[in-house]
Amino acid sequence: MHVATPPAPRPPSTAHLALPFFDDAHRALAEGLVPWAAAQEVDETDDRAACRDWVKRLGAGGWLRYCVPAERGGALPALDSRALVLLRETLAYHSPLADFAFAMQGLGSGAITLAGSPAQQAHYLRGVARGELIAAFALSEPEAGSDVGAMKTIAASANNTSAGSPKDSYSLTGTKTWISNGGIADFYCVFAKTDSAGGTRGISAFIVDANTPGLDASRHIHVMAPHPLATLQFTDCTVPATALLGEENSGFKLAMRTLDIFRASVAAAALGMARRALAEAVHHARQRRMFGQTLADFQLTQAKIGEMAALVDSAALLTYRAAWLRDTGQARVTAEAERQRDRSVSAAMAKMTATENAQRVIDMALQLHGGRGVELGSKVESLYRDIRSLRIYEGATEVQQLIIGKAVLQE
């Protein structure tokens, strides 16, 4: 059960903004975001209603402008990983559901930013930036999660199919599941096979409006940390050829490019939750009295707090490095392919380390709270549920390990 987010024990520190990973634009962003996020009060009892509320608030506050480029109503010339990291870290500190709402606006529209036609970008991205359109990213299937090439959703050519002739439309048939914002999104970026025998080379991407006949998003999925999830059923769902995103059969690369941009920001969300857990633990340790002293006076408590702080900072440095590498193009190699590999590996390291460390930090914070830590509605209890999915989605920890290990072996 989600209730209105309780006030944080203290405002989050912004000392990390002095690190050389950030510039004045990022510091100005944080200066406005930190007090804004702390001032929001959203009833999160109904996760779907709360997400709609958060999207409206984030749009009105101008924060969703960081999800799209400036030429389409965005705040910066291009998607900036460091801005995304700062936004997600701060929002997750206060409300993981606010972070979710923000992140899905970026992930759900990211493929349009990367490959959309001028008409597609003009229509969808401006609506995303203003909080008027809710976006979703539909890639996963019941038998195709990490193994994207195993997807079975088909996008068959409809109408004019003669050789060499332009296609008039596509008919989508299949199932997508674990789709965030499923059932509340206004549009979905959907990945489907246009060449059923082509593996990952036969995947294309489409923009499918939520009201398109043949799309059913009514099967909601309920999870331990409530947020909007659904299974999408496509049954002869026909979209015009203008719904194709980028070139036919280029969808796999587009999906991976989109995920790669936002992977470091997943680490930032975990980092924000870990920072909040640490703050809650410190606050509780200072207040809780036992055996004639506070919990904070015990050396064992001090040791645990010290370990938690080190886990948070190590995750932060990897997260900021990954975002900095993506934004600046800096790398220790000169070949473009190797630079891309460096950026992907750094993002994988950040995502893996930040999510795993956050799980440990939050678990230790809950332990320090004792029985209060498992009380339904307490902050550390909700964080304990919220963090678990981050170790799975957008590339499970085991997938990140494979990415890192293969790269190291190739060096």
Side-chain angles (χ1 to χ4, degrees):
M1 179 179 70
H2 275 244
V3 296
T5 303
R10 56 176 294 182
S13 171
T14 56
H16 55 278
L17 293 172
L19 294 171
F21 296 114
F22 302 106
D23 58 29
D24 289 341
H26 301 115
R27 297 180 185 104
L29 161 62
E31 184 177 345
L33 176 65
V34 170
W36 181 90
Q40 304 307 303
E41 294 184 7
V42 173
D43 182 357
E44 297 185 349
T45 305
D46 181 337
D47 56 290
R48 292 176 177 271
C51 274
R52 291 189 181 97
D53 190 359
W54 273 118
V55 169
K56 289 179 181 178
R57 289 171 183 251
L58 290 163
W63 307 116
L64 293 180
R65 295 176 61 227
Y66 289 91
C67 292
V68 303
E71 64 178 355
R72 300 303 179 191
L76 299 172
L79 289 180
D80 185 276
S81 286
R82 287 169 294 175
L84 295 173
V85 159
L86 291 175
L87 278 150
R88 293 199 65 180
E89 179 182 343
T90 303
L91 291 173
Y93 181 93
H94 293 282
S95 166
L97 202 59
D99 162 67
F100 169 86
F102 173 83
M104 288 314 305
Q105 288 294 93
L107 182 63
S109 65
I112 301 176
T113 296
L114 292 173
S117 68
Q120 289 171 335
Q121 291 184 350
H123 175 69
Y124 291 100
L125 297 185
R126 293 189 186 279
V128 165
R130 292 192 290 257
E132 297 169 354
L133 293 176
I134 296 179
F137 184 83
L139 179 65
S140 297
E141 297 188 3
E143 303 299 327
S146 299
D147 182 9
V148 177
M151 75 167 53
K152 297 179 181 177
T153 299
I154 299 296
S157 300
N159 300 328
N160 189 350
T161 57
S162 59
S165 299
K167 297 177 175 64
D168 297 325
S169 60
Y170 294 85
S171 178
L172 278 66
T173 298
T175 304
K176 297 289 180 181
T177 195
W178 301 110
I179 306 305
S180 296
N181 278 347
I184 69 168
D186 294 292
F187 69 91
Y188 300 86
C189 285
V190 181
F191 297 83
K193 288 278 186 73
T194 39
D195 178 358
S196 58
T200 57
R201 292 183 175 86
I203 297 171
S204 298
F206 302 88
I207 305 173
V208 182
D209 292 326
N211 59 1
T212 305
L215 168 58
D216 180 1
S218 64
R219 290 175 57 195
H220 298 171
I221 300 172
H222 302 284
V223 290
M224 60 193 293
H227 60 277
L229 282 171
T231 294
L232 311 181
Q233 187 64 50
F234 297 89
T235 306
D236 295 328
C237 178
T238 302
V239 296
T242 54
L244 179 68
L245 259 175
E247 296 181 1
E248 194 173 279
N249 297 329
S250 64
F252 176 75
K253 289 183 178 180
L254 178 57
M256 295 304 104
R257 287 174 63 202
T258 305
L259 291 170
D260 221 25
I261 289 173
F262 290 92
R263 188 158 288 127
S265 77
V266 179
L271 178 60
M273 294 184 206
R275 287 198 192 279
R276 180 62 183 270
L278 175 58
E280 293 285 341
V282 169
H283 178 74
H284 177 73
R286 286 171 172 164
Q287 302 297 318
R288 177 77 163 96
R289 296 197 63 81
M290 55 193 308
F291 301 109
Q293 58 186 342
T294 67
L295 186 59
D297 292 323
F298 290 91
Q299 286 187 333
L300 183 58
T301 302
Q302 295 164 14
K304 286 295 182 183
I305 295 290
E307 183 180 359
M308 293 162 71
L311 288 168
V312 168
D313 273 12
S314 60
L317 290 173
L318 282 174
T319 300
Y320 302 152
R321 182 190 70 164
W324 175 76
L325 283 173
R326 180 155 295 284
D327 288 342
T328 64
Q330 299 288 338
R332 56 190 173 82
V333 291
T334 56
E336 176 57 34
E338 291 178 318
R339 284 201 301 273
Q340 178 59 43
R341 187 181 69 188
D342 257 19
R343 291 193 291 267
S344 295
V345 169
S346 69
M349 286 184 175
K351 202 271 185 184
M352 176 187 73
T353 303
T355 55
E356 294 291 333
N357 284 11
Q359 182 83 63
R360 293 173 61 190
V361 168
I362 292 168
D363 184 73
M364 285 190 281
L366 188 149
Q367 189 75 9
L368 281 171
H369 277 73
R372 296 177 185 178
V374 294
E375 185 179 0
L376 192 65
S378 73
K379 187 59 184 178
V380 290
E381 181 272 336
S382 64
L383 286 170
Y384 193 82
R385 289 183 286 108
D386 281 313
I387 190 58
R388 190 59 185 85
S389 63
L390 270 69
R391 293 169 58 202
I392 298 172
Y393 77 68
E394 289 191 42
T397 292
E398 292 76 12
V399 173
Q400 309 310 321
Q401 290 171 334
L402 288 174
I403 292 171
I404 299 163
K406 286 180 179 180
V408 171
L409 290 170
Q410 290 172 359
E411 289 181 352

Short mmCIF file of all heavy atoms in Angstrom, two decimals, residues 296-335:
data_model
loop_
_atom_site.label_atom_id
_atom_site.label_comp_id
_atom_site.label_asym_id
_atom_site.label_seq_id
_atom_site.Cartn_x
_atom_site.Cartn_y
_atom_site.Cartn_z
N ALA A 296 22.97 5.54 17.82
CA ALA A 296 24.15 6.04 17.11
C ALA A 296 25.42 5.97 17.95
O ALA A 296 26.53 6.02 17.40
CB ALA A 296 23.91 7.48 16.66
N ASP A 297 25.29 5.85 19.26
CA ASP A 297 26.47 5.80 20.14
C ASP A 297 27.15 4.43 20.12
O ASP A 297 28.30 4.31 20.53
CB ASP A 297 26.07 6.15 21.58
CG ASP A 297 25.65 7.60 21.74
OD1 ASP A 297 26.26 8.45 21.07
OD2 ASP A 297 24.71 7.87 22.51
N PHE A 298 26.47 3.42 19.64
CA PHE A 298 27.06 2.08 19.59
C PHE A 298 28.04 1.97 18.42
O PHE A 298 27.74 2.39 17.30
CB PHE A 298 25.98 1.02 19.44
CG PHE A 298 25.12 0.84 20.66
CD1 PHE A 298 23.95 1.56 20.81
CD2 PHE A 298 25.50 -0.05 21.68
CE1 PHE A 298 23.15 1.40 21.93
CE2 PHE A 298 24.70 -0.21 22.80
CZ PHE A 298 23.53 0.51 22.93
N GLN A 299 29.20 1.41 18.69
CA GLN A 299 30.21 1.28 17.64
C GLN A 299 29.72 0.41 16.49
O GLN A 299 30.06 0.66 15.33
CB GLN A 299 31.51 0.71 18.22
CG GLN A 299 32.29 1.70 19.06
CD GLN A 299 33.65 1.15 19.47
OE1 GLN A 299 33.85 -0.07 19.57
NE2 GLN A 299 34.60 2.04 19.69
N LEU A 300 28.90 -0.59 16.80
CA LEU A 300 28.39 -1.46 15.74
C LEU A 300 27.51 -0.65 14.78
O LEU A 300 27.56 -0.84 13.56
CB LEU A 300 27.60 -2.62 16.33
CG LEU A 300 27.06 -3.66 15.34
CD1 LEU A 300 28.20 -4.27 14.53
CD2 LEU A 300 26.28 -4.75 16.07
N THR A 301 26.71 0.27 15.33
CA THR A 301 25.90 1.14 14.48
C THR A 301 26.78 2.03 13.63
O THR A 301 26.54 2.22 12.43
CB THR A 301 24.97 2.01 15.35
OG1 THR A 301 24.14 1.18 16.15
CG2 THR A 301 24.11 2.92 14.49
N GLN A 302 27.80 2.60 14.23
CA GLN A 302 28.71 3.47 13.49
C GLN A 302 29.38 2.72 12.34
O GLN A 302 29.56 3.27 11.25
CB GLN A 302 29.75 4.05 14.44
CG GLN A 302 29.16 4.97 15.51
CD GLN A 302 30.11 5.23 16.66
OE1 GLN A 302 31.31 4.95 16.58
NE2 GLN A 302 29.58 5.76 17.76
N ALA A 303 29.75 1.47 12.60
CA ALA A 303 30.38 0.67 11.55
C ALA A 303 29.40 0.43 10.40
O ALA A 303 29.77 0.51 9.22
CB ALA A 303 30.86 -0.65 12.12
N LYS A 304 28.14 0.12 10.72
CA LYS A 304 27.14 -0.10 9.68
C LYS A 304 26.88 1.17 8.87
O LYS A 304 26.78 1.12 7.64
CB LYS A 304 25.83 -0.59 10.31
CG LYS A 304 25.86 -2.03 10.78
CD LYS A 304 26.02 -2.99 9.60
CE LYS A 304 26.00 -4.44 10.05
NZ LYS A 304 26.23 -5.36 8.89
N ILE A 305 26.78 2.29 9.55
CA ILE A 305 26.56 3.56 8.86
C ILE A 305 27.74 3.86 7.94
O ILE A 305 27.57 4.33 6.81
CB ILE A 305 26.36 4.71 9.87
CG1 ILE A 305 25.07 4.49 10.67
CG2 ILE A 305 26.35 6.05 9.17
CD1 ILE A 305 23.80 4.66 9.89
N GLY A 306 28.94 3.57 8.43
CA GLY A 306 30.13 3.80 7.61
C GLY A 306 30.14 2.93 6.36
O GLY A 306 30.48 3.40 5.26
N GLU A 307 29.76 1.68 6.50
CA GLU A 307 29.68 0.78 5.34
C GLU A 307 28.64 1.26 4.34
O GLU A 307 28.87 1.26 3.12
CB GLU A 307 29.36 -0.64 5.80
CG GLU A 307 29.34 -1.65 4.66
CD GLU A 307 29.01 -3.06 5.12
OE1 GLU A 307 28.82 -3.27 6.33
OE2 GLU A 307 28.94 -3.96 4.25
N MET A 308 27.48 1.69 4.86
CA MET A 308 26.42 2.19 3.99
C MET A 308 26.88 3.41 3.20
O MET A 308 26.63 3.53 1.99
CB MET A 308 25.18 2.53 4.82
CG MET A 308 24.51 1.31 5.45
SD MET A 308 23.40 1.74 6.82
CE MET A 308 22.07 2.51 5.89
N ALA A 309 27.57 4.33 3.88
CA ALA A 309 28.04 5.55 3.21
C ALA A 309 29.04 5.22 2.11
O ALA A 309 29.01 5.83 1.03
CB ALA A 309 28.67 6.49 4.24
N ALA A 310 29.93 4.26 2.36
CA ALA A 310 30.90 3.87 1.34
C ALA A 310 30.22 3.22 0.14
O ALA A 310 30.61 3.45 -1.01
CB ALA A 310 31.94 2.93 1.95
N LEU A 311 29.22 2.40 0.40
CA LEU A 311 28.48 1.77 -0.69
C LEU A 311 27.76 2.82 -1.54
O LEU A 311 27.73 2.72 -2.77
CB LEU A 311 27.46 0.77 -0.12
CG LEU A 311 28.03 -0.52 0.45
CD1 LEU A 311 26.95 -1.28 1.23
CD2 LEU A 311 28.61 -1.41 -0.65
N VAL A 312 27.20 3.83 -0.90
CA VAL A 312 26.52 4.90 -1.62
C VAL A 312 27.51 5.68 -2.48
O VAL A 312 27.27 5.92 -3.68
CB VAL A 312 25.79 5.85 -0.64
CG1 VAL A 312 25.33 7.11 -1.36
CG2 VAL A 312 24.60 5.14 -0.01
N ASP A 313 28.64 6.06 -1.90
CA ASP A 313 29.59 6.88 -2.66
C ASP A 313 30.24 6.12 -3.80
O ASP A 313 30.49 6.69 -4.87
CB ASP A 313 30.67 7.43 -1.72
CG ASP A 313 30.26 8.74 -1.07
OD1 ASP A 313 29.06 9.08 -1.16
OD2 ASP A 313 31.11 9.41 -0.46
N SER A 314 30.52 4.84 -3.61
CA SER A 314 31.12 4.07 -4.71
C SER A 314 30.14 3.95 -5.87
O SER A 314 30.54 4.06 -7.04
CB SER A 314 31.54 2.68 -4.21
OG SER A 314 30.43 1.94 -3.72
N ALA A 315 28.86 3.76 -5.57
CA ALA A 315 27.85 3.70 -6.62
C ALA A 315 27.71 5.05 -7.31
O ALA A 315 27.56 5.13 -8.53
CB ALA A 315 26.51 3.28 -6.02
N ALA A 316 27.78 6.12 -6.52
CA ALA A 316 27.64 7.46 -7.09
C ALA A 316 28.75 7.76 -8.09
O ALA A 316 28.49 8.27 -9.19
CB ALA A 316 27.65 8.50 -5.97
N LEU A 317 29.97 7.42 -7.76
CA LEU A 317 31.08 7.73 -8.66
C LEU A 317 30.97 6.96 -9.98
O LEU A 317 31.23 7.52 -11.05
CB LEU A 317 32.41 7.42 -7.96
CG LEU A 317 32.78 8.37 -6.81
CD1 LEU A 317 34.02 7.88 -6.10
CD2 LEU A 317 32.99 9.78 -7.33
N LEU A 318 30.59 5.70 -9.92
CA LEU A 318 30.41 4.94 -11.15
C LEU A 318 29.25 5.49 -11.97
O LEU A 318 29.30 5.54 -13.20
CB LEU A 318 30.16 3.47 -10.83
CG LEU A 318 31.38 2.63 -10.44
CD1 LEU A 318 30.95 1.23 -10.01
CD2 LEU A 318 32.38 2.55 -11.58
N THR A 319 28.19 5.92 -11.30
CA THR A 319 27.02 6.46 -11.99
C THR A 319 27.36 7.77 -12.69
O THR A 319 27.03 7.97 -13.87
CB THR A 319 25.87 6.68 -11.00
OG1 THR A 319 25.53 5.43 -10.38
CG2 THR A 319 24.64 7.24 -11.69
N TYR A 320 28.01 8.67 -11.98
CA TYR A 320 28.37 9.97 -12.57
C TYR A 320 29.39 9.80 -13.69
O TYR A 320 29.33 10.50 -14.70
CB TYR A 320 28.93 10.90 -11.49
CG TYR A 320 27.98 11.16 -10.33
CD1 TYR A 320 28.46 11.47 -9.07
CD2 TYR A 320 26.60 11.07 -10.50
CE1 TYR A 320 27.61 11.69 -8.00
CE2 TYR A 320 25.73 11.28 -9.43
CZ TYR A 320 26.24 11.58 -8.19
OH TYR A 320 25.39 11.80 -7.13
N ARG A 321 30.31 8.86 -13.53
CA ARG A 321 31.28 8.61 -14.60
C ARG A 321 30.59 8.13 -15.86
O ARG A 321 30.90 8.59 -16.97
CB ARG A 321 32.32 7.57 -14.16
CG ARG A 321 33.39 7.32 -15.23
CD ARG A 321 34.27 6.14 -14.92
NE ARG A 321 33.57 4.86 -15.03
CZ ARG A 321 34.20 3.68 -15.10
NH1 ARG A 321 35.53 3.62 -15.04
NH2 ARG A 321 33.50 2.56 -15.21
N ALA A 322 29.65 7.21 -15.72
CA ALA A 322 28.95 6.67 -16.89
C ALA A 322 28.20 7.77 -17.62
O ALA A 322 28.23 7.85 -18.86
CB ALA A 322 27.99 5.57 -16.46
N ALA A 323 27.53 8.63 -16.88
CA ALA A 323 26.79 9.73 -17.51
C ALA A 323 27.74 10.72 -18.17
O ALA A 323 27.48 11.22 -19.27
CB ALA A 323 25.93 10.43 -16.47
N TRP A 324 28.84 11.01 -17.52
CA TRP A 324 29.84 11.94 -18.06
C TRP A 324 30.45 11.40 -19.35
O TRP A 324 30.62 12.13 -20.33
CB TRP A 324 30.92 12.17 -17.01
CG TRP A 324 32.09 13.00 -17.44
CD1 TRP A 324 32.13 14.36 -17.60
CD2 TRP A 324 33.40 12.52 -17.77
NE1 TRP A 324 33.38 14.75 -18.00
CE2 TRP A 324 34.18 13.65 -18.11
CE3 TRP A 324 33.98 11.26 -17.80
CZ2 TRP A 324 35.52 13.53 -18.48
CZ3 TRP A 324 35.31 11.16 -18.16
CH2 TRP A 324 36.07 12.28 -18.49
N LEU A 325 30.76 10.12 -19.37
CA LEU A 325 31.32 9.52 -20.58
C LEU A 325 30.34 9.62 -21.75
O LEU A 325 30.73 9.92 -22.88
CB LEU A 325 31.67 8.04 -20.34
CG LEU A 325 32.95 7.76 -19.56
CD1 LEU A 325 33.06 6.26 -19.25
CD2 LEU A 325 34.18 8.23 -20.33
N ARG A 326 29.06 9.37 -21.48
CA ARG A 326 28.08 9.43 -22.56
C ARG A 326 27.90 10.85 -23.07
O ARG A 326 27.75 11.07 -24.27
CB ARG A 326 26.74 8.85 -22.08
CG ARG A 326 25.67 8.86 -23.14
CD ARG A 326 24.63 7.80 -22.89
NE ARG A 326 25.19 6.47 -22.98
CZ ARG A 326 25.49 5.86 -24.13
NH1 ARG A 326 25.29 6.47 -25.27
NH2 ARG A 326 26.00 4.65 -24.13
N ASP A 327 27.91 11.81 -22.18
CA ASP A 327 27.69 13.20 -22.60
C ASP A 327 28.88 13.81 -23.31
O ASP A 327 28.73 14.57 -24.27
CB ASP A 327 27.35 14.07 -21.38
CG ASP A 327 25.97 13.79 -20.83
OD1 ASP A 327 25.15 13.21 -21.57
OD2 ASP A 327 25.71 14.15 -19.67
N THR A 328 30.07 13.50 -22.84
CA THR A 328 31.27 14.18 -23.35
C THR A 328 31.99 13.40 -24.43
O THR A 328 32.82 13.97 -25.14
CB THR A 328 32.25 14.47 -22.21
OG1 THR A 328 32.71 13.22 -21.66
CG2 THR A 328 31.58 15.29 -21.11
N GLY A 329 31.70 12.10 -24.54
CA GLY A 329 32.41 11.29 -25.52
C GLY A 329 33.83 10.95 -25.09
O GLY A 329 34.61 10.41 -25.88
N GLN A 330 34.16 11.27 -23.85
CA GLN A 330 35.51 10.97 -23.36
C GLN A 330 35.67 9.46 -23.22
O GLN A 330 34.74 8.75 -22.84
CB GLN A 330 35.73 11.63 -22.00
CG GLN A 330 35.63 13.13 -22.01
CD GLN A 330 36.80 13.78 -22.71
OE1 GLN A 330 37.87 13.18 -22.82
NE2 GLN A 330 36.61 15.00 -23.18
N ALA A 331 36.83 8.97 -23.54
CA ALA A 331 37.13 7.55 -23.38
C ALA A 331 38.63 7.35 -23.43
O ALA A 331 39.37 8.24 -23.86
CB ALA A 331 36.45 6.72 -24.47
N ARG A 332 39.07 6.20 -23.02
CA ARG A 332 40.51 5.92 -23.00
C ARG A 332 40.99 5.33 -24.32
O ARG A 332 42.15 4.95 -24.45
CB ARG A 332 40.84 4.98 -21.84
CG ARG A 332 40.07 3.68 -21.87
CD ARG A 332 40.26 2.91 -20.57
NE ARG A 332 39.40 1.75 -20.49
CZ ARG A 332 39.67 0.58 -21.04
NH1 ARG A 332 40.78 0.44 -21.75
NH2 ARG A 332 38.84 -0.43 -20.92
N VAL A 333 40.10 5.23 -25.30
CA VAL A 333 40.46 4.71 -26.62
C VAL A 333 39.99 5.70 -27.67
O VAL A 333 39.19 6.59 -27.41
CB VAL A 333 39.82 3.33 -26.88
CG1 VAL A 333 40.45 2.28 -25.98
CG2 VAL A 333 38.32 3.38 -26.64
N THR A 334 40.48 5.55 -28.89
CA THR A 334 40.17 6.52 -29.94
C THR A 334 39.20 5.99 -30.99
O THR A 334 38.46 6.77 -31.60
CB THR A 334 41.46 6.97 -30.65
OG1 THR A 334 42.15 5.81 -31.15
CG2 THR A 334 42.38 7.71 -29.67
N ALA A 335 39.18 4.69 -31.23
CA ALA A 335 38.28 4.13 -32.24
C ALA A 335 36.84 4.26 -31.78
O ALA A 335 36.52 4.03 -30.62
CB ALA A 335 38.63 2.67 -32.51
#
